[in-house]
Amino acid sequence: MFDVYRNDKRDLLVLSTGSPVPVLYSAHKWRKSRKRVLKVSHEIKSAVQAQGYYVRRLRVTKDRMIEVE
């Protein structure tokens, strides 16, 4: 099973159950998802096995970019 965390920037952090938040990301304020996650994609599962965690950042879309003139 996996623990899923989100922060105020809507970044996603996935850890195996019971693992602590990595030191690199401990400065951010993470909120744990209340739902239990049993299955994740192969990409996330392999990243958690290799690194111990998976992080995904919110992508910036064209309509969210601010143009400066």
Side-chain angles (χ1 to χ4, degrees), residues 60-69:
V60 176
T61 57
K62 290 182 181 179
D63 57 348
R64 291 189 183 186
M65 291 175 40
I66 299 172
E67 296 180 18
V68 178
E69 294 182 17

Side-chain angles (χ1 to χ4, degrees), residues 1 4 7 10-11 19 27 30 45-46 50-52 58 61 66:
M1 287 197 269
V4 178
N7 66 5
R10 294 176 50 201
D11 294 340
S19 297
W30 296 97
K45 190 174 188 177
S46 61
Q51 299 175 356
L58 179 66
T61 57
I66 299 172

